[in-house]
Amino acid sequence: MSLSPIESVQGVSGTGYAGSTKAPGSTGGGFGTALTGAVDDLQSLQSTSKELAVSSVTGNLDDIHKATLAATRAQVTFELVAAVRNKGIDAFNEIMRMQA
């Protein structure tokens, strides 16, 4: 049994989007739902990262790599969500500049 990269570290949850993509044109919640899910997952990743950081500082964590991976995963996910948000704002501003 092989584990995906997201499942390879115990105690660190992934973004939840690996292998859960829908085909274009399929019925679903759309972009807003996907963005909301990404923000919820980001909050979960940041919470896990914070818990593992506290555990490592108090000496209750056996493997510091878990805390490092959780912090890096939360940071990368945050940067991705921020980039998507910025592109969405740029697209909105571009649409507002279009002439009728």
Side-chain angles (χ1 to χ4, degrees):
M1 178 173 117
S2 74
L3 296 175
S4 71
I6 292 176
E7 299 170 338
S8 63
V9 178
Q10 294 176 347
V12 179
S13 61
T15 60
Y17 289 103
S20 65
T21 58
K22 291 187 176 185
S26 65
T27 59
F31 179 74
T33 303
L35 193 58
T36 302
V39 170
D40 291 341
D41 287 341
L42 172 61
Q43 290 174 341
S44 173
L45 287 171
Q46 288 177 334
S47 174
T48 301
S49 174
K50 184 177 180 180
E51 289 171 9
L52 289 172
V54 169
S55 294
S56 68
V57 169
T58 59
N60 296 331
L61 188 64
D62 295 332
D63 189 9
I64 192 69
H65 291 31
K66 288 181 184 179
T68 304
L69 288 172
T72 302
R73 184 170 284 144
Q75 178 185 1
V76 169
T77 303
F78 176 77
E79 290 172 2
L80 176 65
V81 170
V84 170
R85 181 207 58 192
N86 291 342
K87 287 293 184 179
I89 291 171
D90 290 343
F92 175 78
N93 287 335
E94 188 67 29
I95 290 170
M96 295 307 290
R97 277 186 241 138
M98 287 182 181
Q99 294 181 358

Coordinates of all heavy atoms in Angstrom, one line a residue:
M1 N 0.8 -1.2 0.0 CA 0.0 0.0 0.0 C 0.9 1.2 0.0 O 1.7 1.4 0.9 CB -0.9 0.0 1.3 CG -1.8 1.2 1.4 SD -2.9 1.0 2.8 CE -2.4 2.3 3.8
S2 N 0.8 2.1 -1.0 CA 1.6 3.3 -1.1 C 0.7 4.5 -0.6 O -0.5 4.5 -0.9 CB 2.1 3.5 -2.5 OG 1.1 4.0 -3.3
L3 N 1.3 5.4 0.1 CA 0.6 6.5 0.6 C 0.9 7.7 -0.3 O 2.0 7.9 -0.9 CB 1.1 6.9 2.0 CG 0.8 5.9 3.1 CD1 1.5 6.3 4.4 CD2 -0.6 5.7 3.3
S4 N -0.1 8.5 -0.5 CA 0.1 9.8 -1.3 C 1.0 10.7 -0.5 O 1.1 10.6 0.8 CB -1.2 10.4 -1.6 OG -1.8 11.0 -0.5
P5 N 1.6 11.7 -1.1 CA 2.4 12.7 -0.3 C 1.6 13.4 0.8 O 2.2 13.7 1.8 CB 2.9 13.7 -1.4 CG 2.7 12.9 -2.7 CD 1.6 12.0 -2.5
I6 N 0.3 13.5 0.6 CA -0.4 14.2 1.6 C -0.6 13.3 2.8 O -0.6 13.8 4.0 CB -1.8 14.7 1.0 CG1 -1.6 15.8 0.0 CG2 -2.7 15.1 2.1 CD1 -2.8 16.2 -0.7
E7 N -0.8 12.0 2.6 CA -1.0 11.1 3.7 C 0.3 10.6 4.3 O 0.2 9.8 5.3 CB -1.8 9.9 3.2 CG -3.2 10.3 2.7 CD -3.9 9.2 2.0 OE1 -3.2 8.2 1.5 OE2 -5.1 9.2 1.8
S8 N 1.4 10.9 3.8 CA 2.7 10.3 4.3 C 3.1 10.8 5.7 O 3.9 10.1 6.3 CB 3.8 10.6 3.3 OG 4.0 12.0 3.2
V9 N 2.6 11.9 6.2 CA 3.0 12.3 7.5 C 1.8 12.2 8.4 O 0.8 12.8 8.2 CB 3.5 13.8 7.5 CG1 3.8 14.3 8.8 CG2 4.6 14.0 6.5
Q10 N 1.9 11.4 9.5 CA 0.9 11.2 10.4 C 0.7 12.5 11.2 O 1.6 13.1 11.6 CB 1.1 10.0 11.3 CG 1.2 8.7 10.6 CD 1.6 7.6 11.6 OE1 2.0 7.8 12.7 NE2 1.4 6.4 11.1
G11 N -0.6 12.8 11.5 CA -0.9 14.0 12.3 C -0.9 15.3 11.5 O -1.2 16.3 12.0
V12 N -0.6 15.2 10.2 CA -0.6 16.4 9.4 C -1.6 16.2 8.3 O -1.4 15.3 7.4 CB 0.7 16.8 8.8 CG1 0.6 18.0 7.9 CG2 1.8 17.0 9.9
S13 N -2.7 17.0 8.3 CA -3.7 16.8 7.2 C -3.4 17.6 6.0 O -2.7 18.6 6.1 CB -5.1 17.2 7.8 OG -5.1 18.6 8.1
G14 N -3.9 17.1 4.9 CA -3.6 17.8 3.6 C -4.7 18.8 3.3 O -5.5 19.1 4.1
T15 N -4.7 19.3 2.1 CA -5.7 20.3 1.7 C -7.0 19.7 1.3 O -8.0 20.4 1.3 CB -5.2 21.1 0.5 OG1 -5.0 20.2 -0.6 CG2 -3.9 21.8 0.8
G16 N -7.0 18.4 1.1 CA -8.3 17.7 0.8 C -8.7 17.8 -0.6 O -9.7 17.3 -1.0
Y17 N -7.8 18.3 -1.5 CA -8.2 18.5 -2.9 C -7.5 17.5 -3.8 O -7.7 17.4 -5.0 CB -7.9 19.9 -3.4 CG -8.8 20.9 -2.8 CD1 -8.5 21.7 -1.7 CD2 -10.1 20.9 -3.2 CE1 -9.4 22.6 -1.2 CE2 -11.1 21.8 -2.7 CZ -10.7 22.6 -1.7 OH -11.6 23.5 -1.1
A18 N -6.6 16.6 -3.2 CA -5.9 15.6 -4.0 C -6.9 14.6 -4.5 O -7.5 13.9 -3.8 CB -4.8 15.0 -3.2
G19 N -7.0 14.5 -5.9 CA -7.9 13.5 -6.5 C -9.3 13.8 -6.4 O -10.2 13.0 -6.7
S20 N -9.7 15.0 -6.0 CA -11.1 15.4 -5.9 C -11.6 16.4 -6.9 O -12.5 17.1 -6.6 CB -11.4 15.9 -4.4 OG -10.7 17.1 -4.2
T21 N -10.9 16.5 -8.0 CA -11.2 17.5 -9.0 C -12.4 17.0 -9.8 O -12.6 15.8 -10.0 CB -10.1 17.7 -10.0 OG1 -9.7 16.5 -10.6 CG2 -8.9 18.3 -9.2
K22 N -13.3 17.9 -10.2 CA -14.4 17.6 -11.0 C -14.2 18.0 -12.4 O -13.4 18.8 -12.7 CB -15.7 18.4 -10.5 CG -16.1 17.9 -9.1 CD -17.4 18.6 -8.8 CE -17.9 18.1 -7.5 NZ -19.2 18.7 -7.1
A23 N -14.9 17.3 -13.3 CA -14.7 17.6 -14.7 C -15.3 18.9 -15.0 O -16.4 19.3 -14.4 CB -15.4 16.5 -15.6
P24 N -14.8 19.7 -16.0 CA -15.4 20.9 -16.4 C -16.8 20.7 -16.9 O -17.1 19.8 -17.6 CB -14.5 21.4 -17.5 CG -13.2 20.7 -17.4 CD -13.5 19.4 -16.7
G25 N -17.7 21.6 -16.5 CA -19.1 21.5 -16.9 C -19.9 20.6 -16.0 O -21.1 20.6 -16.2
S26 N -19.3 20.0 -15.0 CA -20.1 19.1 -14.1 C -20.8 20.0 -13.1 O -20.3 21.1 -12.8 CB -19.2 18.1 -13.4 OG -18.3 18.7 -12.6
T27 N -21.9 19.6 -12.6 CA -22.6 20.4 -11.7 C -21.9 20.3 -10.3 O -21.4 19.3 -9.9 CB -24.1 19.8 -11.4 OG1 -24.0 18.5 -11.0 CG2 -24.9 19.9 -12.7
G28 N -21.8 21.5 -9.7 CA -21.1 21.6 -8.4 C -21.3 22.9 -7.9 O -22.0 23.8 -8.4
G29 N -20.6 23.2 -6.8 CA -20.7 24.5 -6.1 C -20.0 25.6 -6.8 O -20.4 26.8 -6.6
G30 N -19.1 25.3 -7.7 CA -18.4 26.4 -8.4 C -17.2 27.0 -7.7 O -16.7 26.4 -6.7
F31 N -16.7 28.1 -8.2 CA -15.5 28.7 -7.8 C -15.6 29.2 -6.3 O -14.7 29.0 -5.5 CB -15.2 29.9 -8.7 CG -13.9 30.6 -8.3 CD1 -12.7 30.0 -8.5 CD2 -14.0 31.8 -7.7 CE1 -11.5 30.7 -8.1 CE2 -12.8 32.5 -7.3 CZ -11.6 31.9 -7.5
G32 N -16.8 29.7 -6.0 CA -16.9 30.2 -4.6 C -16.8 29.1 -3.6 O -16.2 29.3 -2.5
T33 N -17.4 28.0 -3.9 CA -17.4 26.9 -3.0 C -16.0 26.3 -2.8 O -15.5 26.0 -1.8 CB -18.3 25.7 -3.4 OG1 -19.7 26.3 -3.5 CG2 -18.3 24.6 -2.5
A34 N -15.3 26.2 -4.0 CA -13.9 25.8 -4.0 C -13.0 26.7 -3.1 O -12.2 26.3 -2.4 CB -13.4 25.6 -5.4
L35 N -13.2 28.0 -3.3 CA -12.4 29.0 -2.6 C -12.7 28.9 -1.1 O -11.8 29.0 -0.2 CB -12.6 30.4 -3.1 CG -11.7 31.4 -2.7 CD1 -10.2 31.1 -3.1 CD2 -12.0 32.8 -3.3
T36 N -14.0 28.8 -0.7 CA -14.4 28.6 0.7 C -13.8 27.4 1.3 O -13.3 27.4 2.4 CB -15.9 28.6 0.8 OG1 -16.5 29.8 0.2 CG2 -16.4 28.5 2.2
G37 N -13.8 26.3 0.5 CA -13.2 25.0 1.0 C -11.7 25.2 1.2 O -11.1 24.7 2.2
A38 N -11.0 25.9 0.3 CA -9.6 26.1 0.4 C -9.3 27.0 1.7 O -8.3 26.7 2.4 CB -9.1 26.8 -0.8
V39 N -10.1 28.0 1.9 CA -9.9 28.8 3.1 C -10.1 28.0 4.4 O -9.4 28.1 5.4 CB -10.8 30.1 3.1 CG1 -10.8 30.8 4.4 CG2 -10.4 31.0 2.0
D40 N -11.2 27.1 4.4 CA -11.4 26.3 5.5 C -10.2 25.3 5.8 O -9.8 25.1 6.9 CB -12.7 25.5 5.4 CG -13.9 26.4 5.4 OD1 -13.8 27.5 6.0 OD2 -15.0 25.9 4.9
D41 N -9.7 24.7 4.7 CA -8.6 23.8 4.8 C -7.4 24.6 5.3 O -6.5 24.1 6.0 CB -8.3 23.1 3.5 CG -9.3 22.1 3.2 OD1 -10.0 21.6 4.1 OD2 -9.5 21.7 2.0
L42 N -7.2 25.8 4.8 CA -6.1 26.6 5.3 C -6.1 26.9 6.8 O -5.1 26.7 7.5 CB -6.0 28.0 4.5 CG -5.0 29.0 5.0 CD1 -3.6 28.5 4.9 CD2 -5.2 30.3 4.3
Q43 N -7.3 27.2 7.3 CA -7.5 27.4 8.7 C -7.1 26.1 9.5 O -6.5 26.1 10.5 CB -8.9 27.8 9.0 CG -9.2 29.2 8.6 CD -10.6 29.6 8.7 OE1 -11.5 28.8 8.9 NE2 -10.9 30.9 8.7
S44 N -7.5 24.9 8.9 CA -7.2 23.7 9.5 C -5.7 23.4 9.6 O -5.2 23.0 10.6 CB -8.0 22.5 8.8 OG -7.6 21.3 9.3
L45 N -5.1 23.7 8.4 CA -3.6 23.5 8.3 C -2.9 24.4 9.3 O -1.9 24.0 10.0 CB -3.1 23.7 6.9 CG -3.5 22.7 5.9 CD1 -3.1 23.2 4.5 CD2 -2.8 21.4 6.2
Q46 N -3.3 25.7 9.4 CA -2.7 26.6 10.3 C -2.9 26.2 11.8 O -2.0 26.3 12.6 CB -3.2 28.0 10.1 CG -2.7 28.6 8.8 CD -3.2 30.0 8.5 OE1 -4.3 30.3 9.0 NE2 -2.5 30.8 7.8
S47 N -4.1 25.6 12.1 CA -4.4 25.2 13.4 C -3.5 24.0 13.8 O -2.9 23.9 14.9 CB -5.8 24.8 13.5 OG -6.1 24.2 14.8
T48 N -3.4 23.0 12.8 CA -2.5 21.9 13.1 C -1.0 22.3 13.2 O -0.3 21.8 14.1 CB -2.6 20.9 11.9 OG1 -4.0 20.5 11.7 CG2 -1.7 19.7 12.1
S49 N -0.6 23.3 12.4 CA 0.8 23.8 12.5 C 1.0 24.4 13.9 O 2.1 24.2 14.5 CB 1.0 24.8 11.4 OG 2.3 25.4 11.5
K50 N 0.1 25.2 14.3 CA 0.2 25.8 15.6 C 0.3 24.8 16.8 O 1.1 24.9 17.7 CB -1.0 26.8 15.8 CG -0.9 27.6 17.1 CD -2.0 28.6 17.2 CE -1.9 29.4 18.5 NZ -3.0 30.4 18.6
E51 N -0.6 23.8 16.7 CA -0.6 22.8 17.7 C 0.7 22.0 17.8 O 1.2 21.7 18.9 CB -1.8 21.8 17.5 CG -3.1 22.4 17.8 CD -4.3 21.4 17.3 OE1 -4.0 20.3 17.0 OE2 -5.4 21.9 17.3
L52 N 1.2 21.7 16.6 CA 2.5 20.9 16.6 C 3.6 21.8 17.0 O 4.6 21.4 17.6 CB 2.7 20.4 15.2 CG 1.8 19.2 14.7 CD1 2.0 18.9 13.3 CD2 2.1 18.0 15.6
A53 N 3.6 23.1 16.7 CA 4.6 24.0 17.2 C 4.6 24.2 18.7 O 5.7 24.1 19.3 CB 4.4 25.4 16.5
V54 N 3.4 24.2 19.3 CA 3.3 24.3 20.7 C 3.9 23.0 21.3 O 4.6 23.0 22.3 CB 1.9 24.6 21.2 CG1 1.7 24.4 22.7 CG2 1.5 26.0 20.8
S55 N 3.5 21.9 20.7 CA 4.0 20.6 21.2 C 5.5 20.5 21.1 O 6.1 19.9 22.0 CB 3.4 19.4 20.4 OG 2.0 19.4 20.6
S56 N 6.1 21.0 20.1 CA 7.5 20.9 19.9 C 8.2 21.8 21.0 O 9.3 21.5 21.5 CB 8.0 21.3 18.5 OG 7.7 22.7 18.3
V57 N 7.6 23.0 21.3 CA 8.3 23.9 22.2 C 8.2 23.3 23.6 O 9.1 23.5 24.4 CB 7.6 25.3 22.1 CG1 8.0 26.2 23.3 CG2 7.9 25.9 20.8
T58 N 7.0 22.7 23.9 CA 6.9 22.1 25.3 C 7.6 20.8 25.5 O 7.6 20.2 26.6 CB 5.4 21.9 25.6 OG1 4.8 21.1 24.6 CG2 4.6 23.3 25.6
G59 N 8.1 20.2 24.4 CA 8.8 19.0 24.5 C 8.0 17.7 24.3 O 8.4 16.6 24.6
N60 N 6.7 17.9 23.9 CA 5.8 16.8 23.8 C 5.8 16.2 22.4 O 5.0 15.3 22.1 CB 4.4 17.2 24.2 CG 4.2 17.7 25.6 OD1 5.0 17.2 26.5 ND2 3.3 18.6 25.9
L61 N 6.6 16.6 21.5 CA 6.7 16.2 20.1 C 7.9 15.3 19.9 O 9.0 15.8 20.2 CB 6.6 17.3 19.2 CG 6.4 17.0 17.7 CD1 5.1 16.3 17.4 CD2 6.5 18.3 16.9
D62 N 7.8 14.1 19.5 CA 8.9 13.2 19.3 C 9.7 13.6 18.0 O 10.9 13.4 17.9 CB 8.5 11.8 19.2 CG 7.9 11.3 20.6 OD1 8.3 11.9 21.6 OD2 7.1 10.4 20.6
D63 N 8.9 14.0 17.0 CA 9.5 14.2 15.6 C 9.3 15.6 15.2 O 8.2 16.0 14.9 CB 8.9 13.2 14.6 CG 9.6 13.2 13.3 OD1 10.7 13.8 13.2 OD2 9.1 12.6 12.4
I64 N 10.4 16.4 15.2 CA 10.3 17.8 14.8 C 9.9 18.0 13.4 O 9.4 19.1 13.0 CB 11.6 18.6 15.2 CG1 11.4 20.1 15.1 CG2 12.7 18.2 14.3 CD1 10.5 20.7 16.1
H65 N 10.1 17.0 12.6 CA 9.8 17.1 11.2 C 8.3 17.3 10.9 O 7.9 17.9 10.0 CB 10.3 15.8 10.4 CG 11.8 15.7 10.3 ND1 12.6 16.2 11.3 CD2 12.6 15.1 9.4 CE1 13.9 15.9 11.0 NE2 13.9 15.2 9.8
K66 N 7.5 16.7 11.8 CA 6.1 16.9 11.7 C 5.7 18.4 11.8 O 4.9 18.9 11.0 CB 5.3 16.1 12.7 CG 5.3 14.6 12.5 CD 4.5 13.9 13.6 CE 4.6 12.4 13.5 NZ 3.9 11.8 14.6
A67 N 6.3 19.0 12.7 CA 6.0 20.5 12.9 C 6.5 21.3 11.8 O 5.8 22.2 11.3 CB 6.6 20.9 14.2
T68 N 7.7 20.9 11.3 CA 8.3 21.6 10.1 C 7.4 21.5 8.9 O 7.2 22.4 8.2 CB 9.7 21.2 9.9 OG1 10.5 21.3 11.1 CG2 10.4 22.0 8.8
L69 N 7.0 20.2 8.6 CA 6.2 20.0 7.4 C 4.8 20.6 7.5 O 4.3 21.2 6.6 CB 6.0 18.5 7.2 CG 7.3 17.7 6.7 CD1 7.0 16.2 6.8 CD2 7.6 18.2 5.3
A70 N 4.3 20.6 8.7 CA 3.0 21.3 8.9 C 3.1 22.8 8.7 O 2.2 23.4 8.0 CB 2.4 21.0 10.3
A71 N 4.1 23.4 9.2 CA 4.3 24.8 9.0 C 4.5 25.2 7.6 O 4.0 26.2 7.1 CB 5.5 25.3 9.9
T72 N 5.3 24.4 6.9 CA 5.6 24.6 5.5 C 4.3 24.5 4.6 O 4.1 25.3 3.7 CB 6.7 23.7 5.0 OG1 7.9 24.0 5.8 CG2 7.1 24.0 3.5
R73 N 3.6 23.4 4.9 CA 2.4 23.1 4.2 C 1.4 24.3 4.4 O 0.7 24.7 3.4 CB 1.8 21.8 4.6 CG 0.5 21.5 3.8 CD 0.1 20.0 4.0 NE 1.0 19.2 3.3 CZ 1.4 18.0 3.8 NH1 0.9 17.5 4.9 NH2 2.2 17.2 3.1
A74 N 1.2 24.8 5.6 CA 0.3 25.9 5.9 C 0.8 27.1 5.2 O 0.0 27.9 4.6 CB 0.3 26.1 7.4
Q75 N 2.1 27.4 5.1 CA 2.6 28.6 4.5 C 2.4 28.5 3.0 O 1.9 29.5 2.4 CB 4.1 28.7 4.8 CG 4.7 29.9 4.1 CD 6.3 30.0 4.3 OE1 6.8 29.1 4.9 NE2 6.9 31.0 3.7
V76 N 2.7 27.4 2.4 CA 2.5 27.3 0.9 C 1.0 27.4 0.6 O 0.6 28.0 -0.4 CB 3.1 25.9 0.4 CG1 2.7 25.6 -1.0 CG2 4.6 26.0 0.5
T77 N 0.1 26.8 1.3 CA -1.3 26.9 1.1 C -1.8 28.3 1.2 O -2.6 28.8 0.4 CB -2.1 25.9 2.0 OG1 -1.6 24.6 1.9 CG2 -3.6 25.9 1.7
F78 N -1.3 29.0 2.2 CA -1.6 30.4 2.4 C -1.2 31.2 1.2 O -2.0 32.1 0.7 CB -1.0 31.0 3.7 CG -1.3 32.4 3.9 CD1 -2.5 32.9 4.3 CD2 -0.3 33.4 3.6 CE1 -2.7 34.2 4.5 CE2 -0.5 34.7 3.7 CZ -1.7 35.2 4.2
E79 N 0.0 31.0 0.7 CA 0.5 31.7 -0.4 C -0.4 31.4 -1.7 O -0.7 32.3 -2.5 CB 1.9 31.4 -0.7 CG 2.9 32.0 0.3 CD 4.3 31.5 0.2 OE1 4.6 30.8 -0.7 OE2 5.1 31.9 1.1
L80 N -0.8 30.2 -1.8 CA -1.7 29.8 -3.0 C -3.0 30.5 -2.9 O -3.5 31.0 -3.9 CB -1.8 28.3 -3.0 CG -2.8 27.8 -4.1 CD1 -2.2 28.1 -5.5 CD2 -3.0 26.3 -3.9
V81 N -3.6 30.4 -1.7 CA -4.9 31.1 -1.5 C -4.8 32.6 -1.7 O -5.7 33.2 -2.4 CB -5.5 30.7 -0.1 CG1 -6.8 31.6 0.2 CG2 -5.9 29.3 0.0
A82 N -3.8 33.2 -1.3 CA -3.6 34.6 -1.5 C -3.4 35.0 -2.9 O -3.9 36.0 -3.4 CB -2.4 35.1 -0.6
A83 N -2.7 34.1 -3.7 CA -2.4 34.4 -5.1 C -3.7 34.2 -5.9 O -4.0 35.0 -6.8 CB -1.4 33.4 -5.6
V84 N -4.6 33.2 -5.5 CA -5.8 33.0 -6.2 C -6.8 34.2 -5.9 O -7.4 34.7 -6.8 CB -6.5 31.7 -5.8 CG1 -7.9 31.6 -6.3 CG2 -5.7 30.5 -6.3
R85 N -6.8 34.7 -4.7 CA -7.6 35.8 -4.3 C -7.1 37.1 -5.1 O -8.0 37.8 -5.6 CB -7.4 36.1 -2.8 CG -8.3 37.3 -2.4 CD -7.7 38.0 -1.2 NE -6.4 38.5 -1.4 CZ -5.6 38.9 -0.5 NH1 -5.9 38.9 0.8 NH2 -4.3 39.3 -0.8
N86 N -5.8 37.3 -5.2 CA -5.3 38.5 -5.9 C -5.7 38.4 -7.4 O -6.0 39.4 -8.0 CB -3.8 38.6 -5.7 CG -3.4 39.0 -4.3 OD1 -4.2 39.4 -3.5 ND2 -2.2 38.7 -3.9
K87 N -5.6 37.2 -8.0 CA -6.0 37.1 -9.4 C -7.4 37.3 -9.6 O -7.9 37.9 -10.6 CB -5.6 35.7 -9.9 CG -4.1 35.5 -10.1 CD -3.6 36.4 -11.2 CE -2.1 36.1 -11.5 NZ -1.6 37.0 -12.6
G88 N -8.2 36.9 -8.6 CA -9.7 37.1 -8.7 C -10.0 38.6 -8.6 O -10.9 39.1 -9.4
I89 N -9.3 39.3 -7.8 CA -9.5 40.8 -7.6 C -9.1 41.5 -8.9 O -9.7 42.4 -9.4 CB -8.8 41.3 -6.4 CG1 -9.5 40.8 -5.1 CG2 -8.7 42.8 -6.4 CD1 -8.7 41.1 -3.9
D90 N -7.9 41.0 -9.5 CA -7.4 41.6 -10.7 C -8.4 41.4 -11.8 O -8.7 42.3 -12.6 CB -6.1 41.0 -11.1 CG -5.0 41.5 -10.2 OD1 -5.1 42.4 -9.5 OD2 -3.9 40.8 -10.2
A91 N -9.0 40.2 -11.9 CA -10.0 39.9 -13.0 C -11.2 40.7 -12.8 O -11.8 41.3 -13.7 CB -10.4 38.4 -12.9
F92 N -11.7 40.9 -11.5 CA -12.9 41.8 -11.3 C -12.6 43.2 -11.7 O -13.4 43.8 -12.3 CB -13.2 41.7 -9.8 CG -14.3 42.6 -9.4 CD1 -15.6 42.3 -9.7 CD2 -14.0 43.9 -8.8 CE1 -16.7 43.2 -9.3 CE2 -15.0 44.7 -8.4 CZ -16.4 44.4 -8.7
N93 N -11.4 43.7 -11.3 CA -11.1 45.1 -11.7 C -11.0 45.2 -13.2 O -11.4 46.3 -13.8 CB -9.8 45.5 -11.1 CG -9.9 45.7 -9.6 OD1 -11.0 46.0 -9.1 ND2 -8.8 45.6 -8.8
E94 N -10.5 44.2 -13.9 CA -10.4 44.3 -15.4 C -11.8 44.3 -16.0 O -12.1 45.0 -16.9 CB -9.6 43.1 -15.9 CG -9.3 43.2 -17.4 CD -8.3 44.3 -17.7 OE1 -7.5 44.7 -16.9 OE2 -8.5 44.8 -18.9
I95 N -12.7 43.5 -15.4 CA -14.1 43.5 -15.9 C -14.7 44.8 -15.7 O -15.5 45.3 -16.6 CB -14.9 42.3 -15.3 CG1 -14.4 41.0 -15.8 CG2 -16.4 42.5 -15.5 CD1 -14.9 39.8 -15.0
M96 N -14.5 45.4 -14.6 CA -15.1 46.7 -14.3 C -14.6 47.8 -15.2 O -15.3 48.8 -15.4 CB -14.8 47.1 -12.8 CG -15.5 46.2 -11.8 SD -17.3 46.0 -12.1 CE -17.9 47.6 -11.6
R97 N -13.4 47.7 -15.8 CA -12.8 48.7 -16.7 C -13.3 48.5 -18.1 O -13.1 49.4 -18.9 CB -11.3 48.6 -16.7 CG -10.6 49.3 -15.5 CD -9.2 49.3 -15.7 NE -8.7 48.6 -14.5 CZ -7.7 47.8 -14.4 NH1 -7.1 47.4 -15.4 NH2 -7.4 47.2 -13.2
M98 N -14.0 47.4 -18.4 CA -14.4 47.2 -19.8 C -15.6 48.1 -20.1 O -16.4 48.5 -19.3 CB -15.0 45.7 -19.9 CG -14.0 44.7 -19.9 SD -14.8 43.1 -20.1 CE -13.4 42.0 -20.1
Q99 N -15.6 48.5 -21.4 CA -16.6 49.4 -21.8 C -17.8 48.6 -22.3 O -17.6 47.5 -22.9 CB -16.1 50.3 -22.9 CG -15.1 51.3 -22.5 CD -14.6 52.2 -23.6 OE1 -15.0 52.1 -24.7 NE2 -13.7 53.1 -23.2
A100 N -19.0 49.1 -22.1 CA -20.2 48.4 -22.6 C -20.4 48.5 -24.0 O -20.0 49.2 -24.7 CB -21.4 48.9 -21.8

